[in-house]
Structures are given as structure tokens and as C-alpha cells.
Amino acid sequence: MGVVVAVLSLAPDLHSAWQISLIGFISALLIAVYCTVGSGIALAHKDDSVEYGRPEDYPVGVLLSFGSIIFAYGYHTMMPDIQASLHDHSTTDAHGDMKKATTVSYVIGSIAYLCTGLVGYAAFGATVNGEVLLSLNDVLPKVAMYVIWVFVTIKIGTEAAVFNQGAFALLRQS
């Protein structure tokens, strides 16, 4: 994984690394779709032992979920570096472009999280793991899970490369 991140980080700047970001975006969408479809398969084959309702450790689960979402969707920490790398010298255009990109990304991310969470809860009930992929481990075949873990690895690798670009840009400025 380290070698992949190192190679992806060789892009000269974020403006030149849009393909890396696109691959990460596609992987993130595939993960959300995979979780939703996998939960749908589990829902179609569910038994009567699934219990709905509020889990005993509900407050702790909610707080843990916030950490997972923040870790999985850390785009907001990169916004200043991304905007600085746009090579758009007109401040008005740069701010408008970033506002559009941020709005679209948060809308897509929110819809993906909502769909995944709702279908995961419908399939597994109150026992659904905060990380829906871990609940799918018991339902889907091993080969199917290997495919999704490859997408998770790609997503993490591309995110690391983009974060590295932000650090490199900061080093160049100092």
C-alpha cells in the first residue's frame, strides 16, 4: 500500500492529480453502492431473528458513527489546498467553483450515507455494525468481500495521495 501511495503522490500538484481523485471518488461510490446492494441481498434473504428497535448501547453507537463518518469523509480538511491548486487567479471564480464542488460532494455523500444506513438497518436490524461492511462479512461470499475490500484499499490509497499533495504544496510555499 505504501508503494502505491508513494507512486500516486508523485503528481506535481493537485491540479495534475485529478485522475487520482476521480479514481478515489469512483471507489467511494462503488463502496456505497456495494453496501446498499449487499444489504439489499441480506434483506431479501433475512430470517425472522432480526430484531428492530433501539440497541442497548445506542448513544455510544451514535457517537462512534460520527467518528467513522468524519474519518471516511475528510474532504473538508483539504479544501484550502485544493482551492489553492486550482490555478484560477480570479478569486470570485475560484470561490464559486469550490462552493459548487463542496455542495455537490456533500449532497452525494449524504445520500450515500443515508441509503447505506437505512438499507443496512432494514437488513440487519438493531444488530447492524456501525461499519456496514463488517455486517456483510457474514452474508456475502468471501470473493465478493475481497472485491469490496480492494475498493476500500483503492479509496484509502487515493485519499492518502491527495493528502500528501496538500502537504507537498505547504512545503513548497514555505
Side-chain angles (χ1 to χ4, degrees), residues 58-147:
Y58 179 74
V60 173
V62 169
L63 294 175
L64 288 172
S65 297
F66 282 125
S68 297
I69 290 172
I70 289 169
F71 177 72
Y73 199 68
Y75 164 74
H76 59 280
T77 61
M78 290 298 297
M79 288 189 330
D81 295 323
I82 291 172
Q83 185 168 352
S85 71
L86 289 176
H87 302 295
D88 188 357
H89 299 295
S90 171
T91 307
T92 307
D93 291 342
H95 289 295
D97 292 344
M98 282 306 295
K99 185 175 180 180
K100 287 178 200 171
T102 302
T103 302
V104 169
S105 66
Y106 277 112
V107 167
I108 291 172
S110 299
I111 291 170
Y113 280 117
L114 184 64
C115 290
T116 301
L118 290 175
V119 176
Y121 180 77
F124 301 106
T127 61
V128 68
N129 193 315
E131 307 290 340
V132 178
L133 287 175
L134 297 178
S135 292
L136 293 177
N137 269 334
D138 301 330
V139 177
L140 298 178
K142 295 251 184 250
V143 174
M145 291 309 297
Y146 288 138
V147 170

Side-chain angles (χ1 to χ4, degrees), residues 16 42 114 117 122 126 141 150 159:
S16 304
L114 184 64
V150 166
E159 283 176 350

